[in-house]
Amino acid sequence: HMTEDDDADGGGENKMELASKRLLEDKKSGALPDGVDLDPGDPMGIADFYANAFLADARMLGLKVASEVVDQPELMPRPSQLVPEMIELIETLIAKGHAYVASDGVVYFDVQSFPEYGALSGNTIESIRSGEGGRVDMKTQAVKRHPADFMLWKPDDKHLMRWPSPWGEGYPGWHLECSVMARDLLGDVIDLHSGGEDNIFPHHECEIAQSCGATGGEAFARYWFHTRHLMVDGKKMSKSSGTFFTIRDLLQKGASPAAIRLELIRTHYRINSNFTFQGLKDAQRQVERWKRLEEWLETHAGVHRPSPGPLVEALPGFKEAVGHDLNIAGAIGVLSEAVGRIPMDSSVQDEGDGTWSEDLEALRAMDHVLGVLELSIEADTAQSDLDVPWIEGRIEARKQARTDKD
């Protein structure tokens, strides 16, 4: 992958080379985590380092697939292990007239051979112009049949990661990996394809073209699911402005895994999610309340109460909200209203035709979607110090910014 993902050909700098430089600097300065023995010049080692870090954070936040992949590695395939299949797909596209080898030796997909190109994003072939803003030079554009044609293979014997191919030693275009992995593991047509809204064009548009071009099918994915951007304090994430945080940064500031997860999932996917430290504090209070409720229900599981109980009664509404375009915020609202009707702070009578165990079961059914009750609601003080002043400072700074309309 290159740094300019909005370029169909993958412009800018190689992300792996940038990571190599960054890790080399960390190694020299002693900033690498304890126990990490990494050769910054080994691209596969770099990939493993970041993949393992991602998986560790994902497990901490309760991402189910991150745990399942330990026993089922096919759930998270590695593109670098499927390069022969990528080459085979390119050969198929050339044979079917959807791709060509240009005069510079690069293999391009011919978008004019696929009239549906642009349908997902609402673009047309006539309106699409690759390389605007100087990202792709005119020399590169001159060898293409159409400015929107995108790269499938680039010969480059000096590239950090390269493989042999019929078109010379080089590397595949960055759109190929998803088409090949999906086809290899799931078949020619998949049910659901997700991604961020910035992937709609060019990435997903290119995937559709090359997959359907190779298979001859009418679709690559039956349904597309795109999330909006994650903002921090209303701004784009940026290290220079202090609005970029990793999961480990947040844990070191005193946030709990459960609160982080809830703060990230409770905004509807069709609107930008605005991460704030006030929101994180609110999420912490919410998960603490739910955890207290779970413990109360466990203690009173055998106590009778009239049917239906508050959570049992709320469960259909919770399911309806989730089933309505994944309205997690609405589902949380249903849960919160029901929690407010449970007498956790008063005495209860042991009478009625049902028991609180039914509400406990309903709560856990809801948490099967939310996934927070099994996570830690405490910061890991063994690896971090609770930085309450820092968090309070961030909140006050945001309040002042609102007052100043900044």
Side-chain angles (χ1 to χ4, degrees):
H1 285 279
M2 312 301 278
T3 54
E4 293 180 0
D5 285 349
D6 57 343
D7 179 354
D9 290 334
E13 297 181 77
N14 184 293
K15 291 182 179 179
M16 198 64 73
E17 291 181 350
L18 288 177
S20 176
K21 294 176 184 177
R22 187 166 57 246
L23 288 171
L24 181 60
E25 293 173 358
D26 287 346
K27 189 170 185 177
K28 289 180 178 179
S29 65
L32 283 178
D34 293 340
V36 173
D37 183 16
L38 177 65
D39 177 6
D42 175 15
M44 293 302 181
I46 295 172
D48 286 341
F49 173 78
Y50 284 107
N52 290 336
F54 164 77
L55 288 171
D57 289 350
R59 291 181 192 117
M60 198 177 301
L61 295 188
L63 271 68
K64 187 177 178 182
V65 69
S67 297
E68 293 175 337
V69 73
V70 175
D71 297 318
Q72 302 177 70
E74 68 275 10
L75 293 176
M76 301 184 86
R78 297 287 185 92
S80 56
Q81 297 173 356
L82 291 169
V83 173
E85 287 81 359
M86 295 183 200
I87 292 172
E88 183 180 339
L89 182 65
I90 296 172
E91 291 176 323
T92 299
L93 291 170
I94 293 175
K96 290 190 173 186
H98 290 297
Y100 61 94
V101 182
S103 58
D104 60 355
V106 177
V107 184
Y108 291 102
F109 185 93
D110 183 356
V111 296
Q112 295 176 100
S113 73
F114 189 73
E116 294 80 9
Y117 187 75
L120 180 70
S121 57
N123 287 303
T124 63
I125 292 177
E126 290 71 25
S127 67
I128 297 170
R129 288 294 179 268
S130 175
E132 293 179 355
R135 291 191 298 271
V136 179
D137 59 35
M138 293 309 297
K139 182 179 178 181
T140 299
Q141 292 291 64
V143 303
K144 296 181 178 182
R145 294 177 182 174
H146 187 279
D149 291 351
F150 57 91
M151 185 187 81
L152 296 173
W153 189 272
K154 183 173 183 177
D156 185 349
D157 59 6
K158 295 182 175 59
H159 197 266
L160 181 62
M161 299 186 75
R162 56 189 184 274
W163 296 265
S165 82
W167 314 284
E169 191 175 54
Y171 59 94
W174 73 283
H175 313 293
L176 274 173
E177 56 190 49
C178 295
S179 291
V180 167
M181 291 188 296
R183 190 180 190 187
D184 184 67
L185 295 170
L186 302 173
D188 290 348
V189 183
I190 63 177
D191 289 323
L192 179 67
H193 195 315
S194 64
E197 63 176 336
D198 52 332
N199 290 141
I200 298 174
F201 185 85
H203 187 44
H204 290 162
E205 206 72 78
C206 294
E207 287 180 10
I208 293 171
Q210 62 200 15
S211 291
C212 293
T215 66
E218 295 183 357
F220 170 43
R222 295 185 177 92
Y223 298 97
W224 291 86
F225 174 85
H226 294 101
T227 61
R228 297 293 299 273
H229 291 296
L230 172 63
M231 314 292 282
V232 175
D233 285 340
K235 299 177 182 178
K236 191 175 181 180
M237 287 191 289
S238 168
K239 288 185 178 180
S240 60
S241 62
T243 56
F244 180 91
F245 303 100
T246 66
I247 297 301
R248 298 176 196 201
D249 290 336
L250 297 177
L251 293 173
Q252 289 171 356
K253 296 299 181 184
S256 72
I260 295 171
R261 179 182 171 98
L262 182 60
E263 173 67 0
L264 291 175
I265 69 171
R266 63 181 176 176
T267 301
H268 195 271
Y269 75 91
R270 289 187 186 272
I271 62 176
N272 287 337
S273 177
N274 185 33
F275 179 92
T276 69
F277 282 92
Q278 180 61 57
L280 192 60
K281 286 185 67 177
D282 294 342
Q284 180 66 35
R285 284 193 290 268
Q286 190 131 43
V287 295
E288 287 175 354
R289 187 184 187 203
W290 292 344
K291 192 65 180 178
R292 177 170 168 251
L293 169 64
E294 182 184 41
E295 293 170 352
W296 187 92
L297 290 172
E298 289 173 342
T299 301
H300 295 78
V303 178
H304 290 81
R305 52 100 182 104
S307 293
L311 292 175
V312 173
E313 188 176 23
L315 186 56
F318 182 96
K319 291 180 178 179
E320 182 180 0
V322 173
H324 185 64
D325 199 22
L326 298 179
N327 185 3
I328 297 298
I332 290 174
V334 171
L335 170 57
S336 296
E337 190 278 331
V339 172
R341 293 191 286 119
I342 295 179
M344 287 189 287
D345 297 316
S346 58
S347 59
V348 294
Q349 301 296 319
D350 187 6
E351 57 186 24
D353 57 346
T355 64
W356 289 108
S357 64
E358 297 165 349
D359 292 274
L360 178 60
E361 184 178 346
L363 175 65
R364 287 174 175 166
M366 296 181 197
D367 188 60
H368 185 71
V369 174
L370 301 176
V372 296
L373 290 179
E374 292 185 1
L375 301 181
S376 172
I377 65 171
E378 302 292 338
D380 187 353
T381 54
Q383 69 170 354
S384 61
D385 294 322
L386 186 62
D387 198 346
V388 174
W390 186 90
I391 294 177
E392 296 288 354
R394 292 289 302 185
I395 294 172
E396 289 303 317
R398 177 162 174 76
K399 288 179 179 177
Q400 187 61 48
R402 281 180 174 175
T403 300
D404 298 339
K405 297 182 179 180
D406 183 2

